[in-house]
Amino acid sequence: MAVISFGGKKENVITRKEYSVAKAIKTLKNETIAIIGYGVQGPAQALNLRDNGFKNVIIGQSKKYKKDWDRAVKDGWVPGKTLFDVEEACEKGTIIKMLVSDAAQRAIWPSVKKYLTKGKALYFSHGFSIVYKDQTKVIPPKDVDVILVAPKGSGRSVRLNFLAGVGINSSYAVFQDATKNAQERCIALGIGLGSGYLFPTTFEKEVYSDLTGERGVLMGALAGIMEAQYDVLRKNGHSPSEAFNETVEELTQSLIRLVDENGMDWMYSNCSATAQHGALKWRPKFKKATLPVFTELYASVKNGQETKEVLRDCGKPNYKELLDVKLSAMGNSEMWQAGKAVRDLRPKEKAREITKDTKGITGRGKN
């Protein structure tokens, strides 16, 4: 293990330097890795494993979701050879990766559970189904390993970063070690899917932090704060272009890249004195205003309310239609229509660069 230090504290992590892809392949040489679900995380993890040289990777995908089945075929998975329905893949797999949505995991659990024979491993990329088992009814047999590798990014980012030669950091955890080899299996799978580095967690901590992050800074809070600032600027006579550029474009195209490069203080140090002064003044005000909201959010995650709502709403037959309505309302708002216009005006050379970088995102078409 490698040790990273920060603020006088130390944390053990696992990198590809200590645990190579070659070692991971050797660890899993006798395993058949069944990826259940070819929607969001499934394609990225499956393709990364395949491209990293893992030979026994198969897909379990229901044909009734034609878009996902057809995408798997397009990516080079062969029906009857490396692409099967969910139950057949579960029967063949010695490691069963549950990568369908959280609500779908509850729905397909009876079909998966009957193939969890002694010594197999049940893998998740989210602690949801196990931690909230009272709601999901996902309770694994005692004689199988239950493990987790959770990439800290969307499936698209997991794949893009892999193709770019870098990785998305992932957390890992062992919930149940029936074979006394669960951690080794877990780490090998984390390295195999292309993680930048692996850091330890528990199923509980992973799901609490993940649900809080998605509803908070990563998505919910970010979108809400952007909309609030945009509205204030527009109500005070600023044009859509000015409001959008000052709210979103400068953040995504300039400032956040400085944060990524070397931290928030680095970004501040590379801005004007006027910007620094104002940001340092208003930073504690925003923290004070939002801290109660984050406290409420974390409590709602921990007590299971957020899970209850996910299972209730995401499991509805018409969920996709309801989601499309909400996303369309966001996409068709003036703010994001202004964003589309701004993106269309970006230099064409840059657009070509982005297109070039994302080629092959769905796979390299090889078996």
Side-chain angles (χ1 to χ4, degrees), residues 115-358:
Y115 295 107
L116 284 171
T117 52
K118 183 178 180 180
K120 287 193 176 187
L122 179 63
Y123 166 112
F124 296 89
S125 281
H126 194 19
F128 190 107
S129 289
I130 293 295
V131 174
Y132 300 105
K133 61 182 182 296
D134 290 344
Q135 295 180 35
T136 65
K137 309 305 179 187
V138 175
I139 303 172
K142 295 295 185 183
D143 56 1
V144 301
D145 292 341
V146 182
I147 57 181
L148 173 147
V149 177
K152 299 296 108 180
S154 69
R156 178 179 173 83
S157 299
V158 170
R159 183 61 176 159
L160 276 177
N161 278 33
F162 177 85
L163 291 173
V166 295
I168 289 284
N169 299 331
S170 303
S171 59
Y172 74 96
V174 173
F175 178 79
Q176 190 167 282
D177 185 7
T179 66
K180 308 305 179 187
N181 195 41
Q183 179 155 308
E184 195 76 11
R185 282 169 136 178
C186 188
I187 292 170
L189 289 163
I191 294 297
L193 67 84
S195 300
Y197 73 80
L198 296 164
F199 60 94
T201 188
T202 65
F203 273 61
E204 290 85 359
K205 288 178 180 176
E206 189 284 328
V207 73
Y208 293 165
S209 62
D210 190 75
L211 292 180
T212 299
E214 291 167 348
R215 285 151 178 74
V217 169
L218 302 178
M219 294 174 69
L222 180 63
I225 290 170
M226 284 178 170
E227 290 166 11
Q229 178 171 301
Y230 182 89
D231 287 353
V232 167
L233 291 173
R234 290 290 287 124
K235 286 174 183 176
N236 282 278
H238 298 270
S239 71
S241 285
E242 187 165 61
F244 186 84
N245 273 279
E246 291 295 342
T247 300
V248 180
E249 193 75 351
E250 189 170 352
L251 171 66
T252 60
Q253 299 302 300
S254 174
L255 300 184
I256 204 66
R257 296 178 180 183
L258 294 174
V259 177
D260 174 64
E261 184 181 348
N262 210 19
M264 188 67 77
D265 58 326
W266 171 252
M267 185 265 275
Y268 274 44
S269 70
N270 280 277
C271 293
S272 70
T274 302
Q276 293 168 358
H277 184 275
L280 290 168
K281 172 189 174 182
W282 282 90
R283 172 180 164 238
K285 292 178 182 286
F286 277 107
K287 182 176 180 179
K288 183 178 180 181
T290 59
L291 189 57
V293 181
F294 279 100
T295 301
E296 178 188 355
L297 167 58
Y298 192 85
S300 185
V301 168
K302 192 170 183 178
N303 68 26
Q305 180 60 30
E306 296 300 307
T307 318
K308 181 180 178 181
E309 293 176 12
V310 166
L311 293 172
R312 180 195 67 200
D313 297 338
C314 297
K316 291 178 179 177
N318 63 339
Y319 170 71
K320 184 64 167 62
E321 289 79 7
L322 296 172
L323 174 65
D324 287 344
V325 170
K326 292 180 180 179
L327 294 183
S328 293
M330 181 188 292
N332 291 324
S333 67
E334 184 193 272
M335 175 177 163
W336 290 108
Q337 285 298 303
K340 183 180 185 305
V342 169
R343 290 192 297 276
D344 287 344
L345 290 171
R346 288 177 186 164
K348 299 304 178 187
E349 282 300 318
K350 184 173 183 180
R352 276 198 290 271
E353 227 173 72
I354 292 170
T355 303
K356 180 182 176 184
D357 287 346
T358 56

